[in-house]
Every structure is written in structure tokens, then in C-alpha cells.
């Protein structure tokens, strides 16, 4: 059976499975739509949380970023895993004990204010749409290559699939769909990693393969060879970082704190029966996530080695099949600057921006690129970093069924997170804006319909953002974490651990943190990208890490305003005590 047929078979079977589960577990009430009825087993919830968490950024883009950033890419690993420890210890059990449906629910009730609830919804929508842009972009990339359609059509197909199981199934359908998606995506990620590790080092376990010798007779270890190859081509050493210490610290902390403030992750802990199960869920999720995250550095290193080995100093006429496959989908390009017909991979950009292709071919038969070349760079090859994991099996010449499996896994990763985000957006609109704020007398049937309509509208917006994304998948997602760190996390944290924090302080803090962080990201990434260099950054902190400054501003403004305004009512202070104190705890006694 040829590879393309296998891809159709694997992807089609996985979609049939997801849609079947969604129809089988269709939500019949608002509680099932929002929190899956509140009775999900902690292990099942941990697996669903892992799938919800390991998005296109983790599956498709993270190893690609590590492959090109090297040591600097470790911020994603440290931040995204460390955040789960923070979430398990500081937030999950307390929010579950609170016992409501959504993050704005907690903020609206804890801060006894409809305004606070609405501000939390606005923060949540900013975060979720920023995050979902990366997921839909990932869906488009997978479809464009493996189903041989353009990225725009790929995003539209993905929108249709998500519509079926997110809008019909709600959280109940999404939970059990995500369990299936986790199984698909982790298998799809690990199998090619085992193959590649064995091919390159003779050790089938990628975590150990990264620290092993390359089996080419050179006696060099993987990272030693990678350093040598890259420096020969004008790049910096793979194991050396170029980011400043403060930027590494801020990006890592923003990703950690952002994890603990992400609404689509937090809402998963409302689905378990009791508070202790929320902590267990976080522990299980961390174990399931660690399988992929400890593998990603090896996948990134192997991908970079394989890419250079198969492309650099290779005649375009003899280019491997995978190169021309991805070239057809506008995600890789060759511009023959010196006219020798041979592809040179060097440091720097090949030409200005992403490739713009024109009709006809270049002198060596390559697709014609109209972009202006970068004059001071000898690099002739453009590569979209988001394809590294997806192309890895093809680059390594692995069997067709492995390529098909990776296609199904990439889609599972992107679609699982997109569904979780869409549910958070729809529940915020229907439950927090309609039911709890503007139309409290709405019937349960009307609320459920509103939730489904809101999810449909969110899918359309998400699709648009997927077609016109503001950056690489993992970078777009990093911005969402910064926004979460700067807006929702301080309000949730102080809501649990500070009885003095009042509604005025929380609202002022959220608005300040969100406005500052979004403004900074917008300026450097969209309004004036040419200025996005370290010399222009505030304190040397990049847009990916600026959420930490936004978080500090949020805390500072919230504390200052709360000290100048009235204390929360007595019943709110009692609510904080009831959230933080275990049930059944008696008074302390002197001994």
C-alpha cells in the first residue's frame, strides 16, 4: 500500500473515532457540556488534560524550535513542564473545591462583581484566540502536506471536524475524545523518535540516544557532531545560548505562570469528583506530558542533523523527494543565489520573509521565488520550522505507515487543544456573560444553544487566525501564555491566598496586566516588527517573556488599589477560608 493511501486510512480512521466518541457522549445538559458532569476519573482526566495541553505547539512546533534554537529552545521545555507543578500545588485543588464551571465564574464570585466577571471573560477571550491561532495553523500545515491541499483549505477542513465534536459533545464529548487523541499523538510522536534514535546512534531510546555517540565511526557524540557541523556552516554552537539571562528567565517564568493561568487547562480540574482528585489529575497529566517533553530535545537534534545531511551541498536536481513534497506546499524553498544548482544551507535568512512563489521555475528547475535575497547571507534554503517533526520520518526515510501515523498524531494534537479552547470561549459567553450577567433567567436549553452558537462563531474566528497567523505556531502560543500570566493568574492566585484582595484591586490589576502585555506584543510583532530586536526591548525582555512584567504590574496595581479601597465583605472572607481549609479540619489545640 502506498504512503498516500496509508495517510488517508490513518487520518480517516482517527477522525471516525473522534466523531464517533463525540456522538456517543453527546452532552445533554449544561453540566455535561461545561464540566463533563463532574465525575471524570483522575487518570482519565490526566490523559485528557495532557492531550488538551500538548497542542500543535508541543507536537509540531516545539522540536522544530529546539532544532533551530538549540540551547535557547530549552525555555519551552522548562516553562511548560514547570507550570504543571505550580498548577498542581497552588491552584487546581482549590479551584475544584470552589466547585463552579469556569475561571470567570471563580473570579466573578470571589470578587463579588459582575464587572470582574466580564473583565475575566475579556482576558480569557484574548488568551484563547491567541492560543487557538497556533492550533488552526498547525491543522492547516498537516492537511496541506498530507492531504495535498493548500493551508487555507486545510484550516477549513479542520474547522469542520472540530465543529462536530466540540459543538455537539461539549466537555463530555471532548474529554473522551481527548483520551483517544492522547493515545494517537503520543504513539505518533514516540515511534519515529525510536526509529531515528536507533538509526543515528544505535540506541532505540531517544532520551538516551541524545547522549550517545553517532554510529558513523567518527567517535563523536550527537551534540558534539551537531556543534561541529553547525559551526562549519557559520551557525553558533547548538549547545550555546544567545539569549540574555534575563530573557531566558522571563520567558521560562511567563510560560510557567501562564500554564497555571490558562483557562482551558484550569477548567479540566472542574471535571473530577473532588479536590484531592484535582491534584491527582495534575500529577497524572505531568507523567503523560513528560513522555513527549523528554523526547522533544532528541527529536529536535536528530531533525537538524538529518536535514543538513540530506540537503546541504546537494544538487537540486537530486533533491530528496520529501524536499519537493514540502516545496509544493510553500513550506520550503530554494533560491539559487550563485547559479551552481547546488543547495547551500548556511547561517542567516535566504531571502526576505516567507517565500512568495511565482509561475515558472528557476535556473535549476526549482519553484521560482520572487522574494529579494538577503545579500550578506550565503544561505539558499528557506525552511518553515513548523514542518520539522512532520517531515522527520520522510527525511529519515522511514516506512510509509510511520509517516501516516505522524500525520494522524499532528492532527490529534492540534484538534484536541482547539476543541478545549473553543469550549472555554463558548462557556464564557453562554454561562458567564449570558446566564450570570446579562440574562439570568435564560433556560438551560437556551443556555446550551447559546454555548453551541458561541462555539460556532469562535470556530470561524479561529479559522481566520489560523489562515493569517502572527508567527510560528510555538511563538504564537507563547504569547497566549504571557497574556494568561499577566491577566488571570494574579487574580486567581490572590483570590485564593489573600482575603484582603477586593474587586477594585482585581479589576484594576487584570486590566493593567492585559493592556500592557498585549500592547507590547502587538507593537513588536504586528505594528513594528522591524523594531523587534534586543536593543529596543524593555529591560532586554522579548515579547515572549514580557508577560512576567505584566504579571508584576498586575500584582502591584491590584495590591495598591485594594489598600486604598474597602475590604471585601465578611462572606467573601469566609469563602476564601472555606476554599483553603480542608473539609473536616478542627481548630488547633495547645499541647
Amino acid at each position: 500500500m502506498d504512503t498516500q493511501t496509508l495517510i488517508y486510512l490513518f487520518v480517516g480512521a482517527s477522525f471516525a473515532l473522534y466523531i464517533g466518541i463525540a456522538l456517543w457522549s453527546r452532552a445533554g445538559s449544561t453540566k455535561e457540556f461545561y464540566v463533563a458532569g463532574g465525575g471524570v476519573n483522575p487518570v482519565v482526566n490526566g490523559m485528557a488534560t495532557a492531550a488538551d495541553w500538548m497542542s500543535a505547539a508541543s507536537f509540531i512546533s516545539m522540536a522544530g524550535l529546539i532544532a533551530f534554537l538549540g540551547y535557547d529552545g530549552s525555555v519551552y521545555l522548562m516553562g511548560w513542564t514547570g507550570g504543571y507543578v505550580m498548577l498542581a500545588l497552588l491552584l487546581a485543588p482549590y479551584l475544584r473545591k470552589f466547585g463552579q464551571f469556569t475561571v470567570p465564574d471563580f473570579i466573578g464570585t470571589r470578587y463579588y462583581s459582575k464587572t470582574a466577571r466580564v473583565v475575566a471573560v475579556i482576558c480569557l477571550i484574548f488568551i484563547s484566540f491567541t492560543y487557538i491561532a497556533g492550533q488552526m495553523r498547525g491543522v492547516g500545515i498537516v492537511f496541506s502536506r498530507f492531504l495535498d491541499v493548500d493551508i487555507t483549505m486545510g484550516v477549513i477542513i479542520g474547522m469542520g471536524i472540530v465543529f462536530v465534536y466540540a459543538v455537539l459533545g461539549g466537555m463530555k464529548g471532548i474529554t473522551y475524545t481527548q483520551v483517544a487523541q492522547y493515545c494517537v499523538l503520543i504513539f505518533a510522536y514516540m515511534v519515529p523518535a525510536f526509529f531515528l534514535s536507533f538509526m543515528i546512534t544505535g540506541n532505540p531510546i531517544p532520551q538516551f540516544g541524545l547522549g550517545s555517540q553517532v554510529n558513523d565511526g567518527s567517535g563523536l557524540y550527537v551534540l558534539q557532531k551537531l556543534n561541529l557541523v553547525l559551526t562549519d556552516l557559520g551557525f553558533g554552537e547548538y549547545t550555546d545560548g544567545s539569549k540574555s539571562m534575563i530573557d531566558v528567565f522571563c520567558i521560562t517564568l511567563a510560560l510557567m505562570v501562564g500554564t497555571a493561568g490558562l483557562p482551558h487547562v484550569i477548567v479540566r480540574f472542574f471535571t473530577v469528583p473532588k479536590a484531592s482528585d484535582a491534584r491527582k489529575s495534575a500529577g497524572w497529566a505531568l507523567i503523560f506530558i513528560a513522555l513527549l517533553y523528554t523526547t522533544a530535545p532528541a527529536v529536535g537534534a536528530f531533525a537538524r542533523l538529518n536535514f543538513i545531511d540530506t540537503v546541504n551541498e546537494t544538487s537540486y536536481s537530486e533533491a530528496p523527494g520529501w524536499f519537493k513534497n514540502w516545496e509544493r506546499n510553500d513550506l520550503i524553498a530554494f533560491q539559487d543565489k550563485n547559479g551552481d544548482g547546488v543547495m547551500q544551507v548556511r547561517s542567516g535568512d535566504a531571502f526576505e520573509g516567507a517565500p512568495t512563489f511565482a509561475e515558472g521555475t528557476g535556473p535549476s528547475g526549482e519553484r521560482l521565488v520572487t522574494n529579494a535575497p538577503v545579500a550578506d547571507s550565503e544561505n539558499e534554503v528557506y525552511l518553515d520550522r513548523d514542518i520539522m517533526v512532520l517531515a522527520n520520518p520522510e527525511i529519515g526515510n522511514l516506512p510509509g505507515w510511520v509517516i501516516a501515523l505522524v500525520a494522524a498524531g499532528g492532527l490529534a494534537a492540534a484538534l484536541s487543544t482547539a476543541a478545549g479552547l473553543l469550549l472555554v470561549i463558548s462557556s464564557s459567553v453562554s454561562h458567564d456573560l449570558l446566564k450570570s450577567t446579562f440574562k439570568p433567567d435564560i433556560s438551560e436549553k437556551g443556555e446550551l444553544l447559546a454555548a453551541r452558537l458561541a462555539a460556532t462563531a469562535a470556530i470561524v474566528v479561529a479559522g481566520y487566525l489560523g489562515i493569517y497567523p502572527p508567527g510560528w505556531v510555538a511563538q504564537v502560543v507563547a504569547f497566549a501564555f504571557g497574556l494568561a500570566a499577566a491577566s488571570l493568574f494574579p487574580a486567581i492566585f490572590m483570590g485564593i491566598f489573600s482575603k484582603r484582595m477586593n474587586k477594585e484591586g482585581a479589576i484594576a490589576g487584570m486590566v493593567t496586566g492585559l493592556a500592557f502585555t498585549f500592547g507590547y506584543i502587538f507593537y513588536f510583532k504586528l505594528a513594528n516588527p522591524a523594531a523587534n530586536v534586543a536593543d529596543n526591548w524593555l529591560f532586554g525582555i522579548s515579547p515572549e517573556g514580557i508577560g512576567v512584567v505584566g504579571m508584576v504590574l498586575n500584582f502591584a496595581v491590584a495590591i495598591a488599589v485594594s489598600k486604598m479601597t474597602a475590604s471585601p465583605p465578611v462572606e467573601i472572607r469566609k469563602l476564601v477560608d472555606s476554599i483553603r481549609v480542608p473539609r473536616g479540619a478542627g481548630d488547633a489545640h495547645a499541647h
Side-chain angles (χ1 to χ4, degrees):
M1 194 178 294
D2 65 65
T3 301
Q4 193 59 48
T5 303
L6 286 168
I7 290 171
Y8 287 133
L9 185 63
F10 277 52
V11 171
S14 64
F15 280 3
L17 176 64
Y18 306 152
I19 293 171
I21 291 172
L23 294 174
W24 165 74
S25 54
R26 180 174 176 172
S29 67
T30 52
K31 188 173 184 181
E32 288 183 338
F33 192 90
Y34 295 142
V35 292
V40 180
N41 181 279
V43 179
V44 172
N45 194 53
M47 195 175 290
T49 304
D52 205 351
W53 172 247
M54 289 192 295
S55 60
S58 293
F59 187 98
I60 296 173
S61 192
M62 184 173 65
L65 278 177
I66 293 171
F68 283 85
L69 294 176
Y71 178 83
D72 287 335
S74 62
V75 296
Y76 295 96
L77 294 170
M78 294 186 293
W80 283 339
T81 49
Y84 255 90
V85 178
M86 183 181 289
L87 183 62
L89 294 176
L90 294 182
L91 301 185
Y94 303 109
L95 289 172
R96 178 60 190 91
K97 191 175 179 187
F98 174 69
Q100 294 296 326
F101 285 159
T102 66
V103 171
D105 229 357
F106 171 78
I107 289 175
T109 304
R110 164 60 183 85
Y111 294 113
Y112 50 98
S113 166
K114 288 185 178 180
T115 303
R117 186 188 295 270
V118 172
V119 171
V121 171
I122 293 169
C123 293
L124 182 148
I125 287 172
F126 266 93
I127 294 162
S128 298
F129 275 127
T130 304
Y131 203 140
I132 208 169
Q135 309 316 309
M136 298 312 291
R137 162 75 174 173
V139 171
I141 288 172
V142 178
F143 272 125
S144 70
R145 163 63 190 93
F146 294 116
L147 300 187
D148 205 22
V149 297
D150 61 34
I151 290 180
T152 300
M153 181 54 66
V155 171
I156 292 169
I157 295 170
M159 288 163 60
I161 298 295
V162 173
F163 173 83
V164 173
Y165 70 83
V167 174
L168 293 181
M171 180 59 85
K172 185 179 178 184
I174 286 171
T175 295
Y176 296 104
T177 302
Q178 285 174 337
V179 171
Q181 286 168 330
Y182 175 79
C183 295
V184 172
L185 76 87
I186 200 66
F187 193 60
Y189 201 87
M190 299 302 294
V191 167
F194 290 144
F195 270 107
L196 291 169
S197 182
F198 185 74
M199 287 169 57
I200 291 172
T201 70
N203 190 325
I205 302 173
Q207 290 86 341
F208 297 144
L210 183 61
S212 301
Q213 289 184 345
V214 181
N215 57 7
D216 60 359
S218 66
L220 296 173
Y221 289 88
V222 170
L223 295 178
Q224 286 179 324
K225 179 172 181 181
L226 201 45
N227 281 341
L228 191 63
V229 168
L230 291 177
T231 52
D232 284 348
L233 298 177
F235 296 93
E237 286 195 347
Y238 192 76
T239 52
D240 276 353
S242 60
K243 290 183 181 293
S244 65
M245 180 70 75
I246 188 171
D247 198 30
V248 169
F249 174 82
C250 286
I251 294 175
T252 303
L253 185 58
L255 295 175
M256 282 181 64
V257 176
T259 299
L262 278 179
H264 77 289
V265 172
I266 291 173
V267 75
R268 289 237 54 95
F269 299 104
F270 294 137
T271 66
V272 293
K274 53 187 187 292
S276 61
D277 291 334
R279 205 184 295 275
K280 290 176 188 174
S281 287
W284 279 109
L286 195 55
I287 291 170
F288 292 131
I289 290 165
L291 282 174
L292 188 147
Y293 272 55
T294 56
T295 307
V299 171
F302 298 153
R304 189 73 181 274
L305 270 179
N306 274 341
F307 171 70
I308 292 171
D309 283 347
T310 57
V311 172
N312 187 44
E313 302 300 338
T314 299
S315 168
Y316 179 80
S317 61
E318 298 173 2
W322 68 266
F323 188 99
K324 295 183 179 179
N325 286 339
W326 288 98
E327 187 186 32
R328 283 200 301 272
N329 297 107
D330 302 351
L331 296 169
I332 197 167
F334 166 53
Q335 189 178 60
D336 194 3
K337 293 181 178 180
N338 56 17
D340 65 356
V342 176
M343 298 183 288
Q344 272 93 33
V345 177
R346 299 291 186 270
S347 176
D349 294 327
F351 40 74
E352 300 289 348
T356 302
F357 293 98
E359 292 296 325
T361 58
S364 301
E366 76 276 13
R367 287 188 67 192
L368 193 61
V369 178
T370 59
N371 303 57
V374 176
D376 59 353
S377 170
E378 296 179 8
N379 185 30
E380 297 181 333
V381 179
Y382 166 89
L383 174 73
D384 187 311
R385 298 175 189 181
D386 289 337
I387 74 171
M388 289 306 291
V389 169
L390 300 173
N392 228 357
E394 294 177 89
I395 299 172
N397 206 23
L398 298 184
W401 66 268
V402 178
I403 296 170
L405 182 63
V406 168
L411 287 169
L415 293 174
S416 62
T417 303
L421 290 162
L422 289 166
L423 184 73
V424 162
I425 294 168
S426 67
S427 60
S428 294
V429 171
S430 61
H431 180 72
D432 294 304
L433 290 184
L434 279 179
K435 177 71 174 177
S436 302
T437 307
F438 298 119
K439 198 173 181 183
D441 59 343
I442 191 172
S443 66
E444 180 166 332
K445 186 177 180 180
E447 186 182 351
L448 196 58
L449 176 62
R452 287 180 167 138
L453 290 174
T456 303
I459 288 171
V460 174
V461 177
Y464 177 83
L465 292 173
I467 294 167
Y468 303 105
W472 308 110
V473 171
Q475 287 178 320
V476 173
V477 169
F479 301 145
F481 283 78
L483 292 171
S487 58
L488 292 180
F489 175 79
I492 298 168
F493 181 83
M494 291 185 289
I496 295 169
F497 294 102
S498 171
K499 289 191 283 187
R500 182 62 184 82
M501 185 51 57
N502 60 13
K503 63 181 180 181
E504 292 86 359
I507 292 168
M510 284 190 290
V511 171
T512 301
L514 180 68
F516 169 79
T517 306
F518 182 78
Y520 191 91
I521 292 171
F522 181 86
Y523 175 76
F524 282 114
K525 301 303 290 188
L526 293 175
N528 192 12
N532 189 26
V533 293
D535 289 343
N536 296 329
W537 296 338
L538 182 67
F539 308 126
I541 301 171
S542 65
E544 288 84 358
I546 201 64
V548 170
V549 179
M551 177 186 70
V552 172
L553 287 174
N554 186 330
F555 274 116
V557 169
I559 292 168
V561 171
S562 69
K563 287 183 180 297
M564 295 186 289
T565 48
S567 297
V570 174
E571 63 269 19
I572 296 299
R573 296 200 292 272
K574 288 181 178 178
L575 172 66
V576 174
D577 280 334
S578 72
I579 291 172
R580 283 168 45 189
V581 178
R583 285 193 182 89
D587 295 331
H589 295 281
H591 293 286

